[in-house]
Amino acid sequence: MSGAVTGADSLIRAVMNERGYPVSEFEQRAADLSVDHPDVVEHYREGERFARAARDGDDSTENLRRAMQSYRALFETLVDPPADEPMRRSRDDTDATELAPTDNEMESAEPRR
């Protein structure tokens, strides 16, 4: 199961990168995330805490379960933002100014039938 937590962490980083968040340092990612999503940043911190514990050998089922729950809450927020929330941050703007999604992003965001 610790492989699932590692995979979830990688997926969160990929989604954050796609959304325009810098992914090199955890504290910077968390700080940037707190600007746009203050309601779920603690989920990110908790998921990272449990994932780190698992990497350090404390891979109890409870820690792994809680890490997955935390990552899931963050993932859902990042991939399914409210309609009035922009889809992407500006990569070179530090004051959290957001960009509208491109036409390609809009097409790929539409549900497939």
Side-chain angles (χ1 to χ4, degrees):
M1 175 112 162
S2 63
V5 171
T6 301
D9 183 60
S10 295
L11 179 61
I12 289 295
R13 287 177 191 223
V15 170
M16 289 181 76
N17 184 52
E18 184 64 29
R19 296 287 186 241
Y21 292 93
V23 294
S24 59
E25 182 186 325
F26 172 76
E27 285 303 322
Q28 185 62 53
R29 289 189 308 267
D32 290 344
L33 186 65
S34 72
V35 171
D36 298 331
H37 304 287
D39 52 329
V40 295
V41 72
E42 193 53 38
H43 286 293
Y44 188 43
R45 291 186 183 284
E46 187 174 85
E48 174 67 16
R49 193 168 36 250
F50 288 120
R52 188 175 5 166
R55 285 190 300 271
D56 293 341
D58 184 10
D59 57 351
S60 69
T61 302
E62 181 62 15
N63 281 350
L64 297 172
R65 183 186 71 79
R66 292 184 68 189
M68 292 300 287
Q69 286 178 322
S70 296
Y71 282 143
R72 180 180 179 187
L74 177 58
F75 179 81
E76 288 175 348
T77 298
L78 290 172
V79 299
D80 194 21
D84 62 342
E85 182 177 313
M87 297 276 294
R88 179 181 217 108
R89 296 183 86 226
S90 171
R91 289 184 191 269
D92 56 8
D93 193 356
T94 57
D95 69 355
T97 302
E98 315 228 28
L99 298 175
T102 65
D103 289 341
N104 287 341
E105 288 171 328
M106 291 299 292
E107 288 174 11
S108 66
E110 293 178 9
R112 303 218 187 266
R113 296 186 184 157

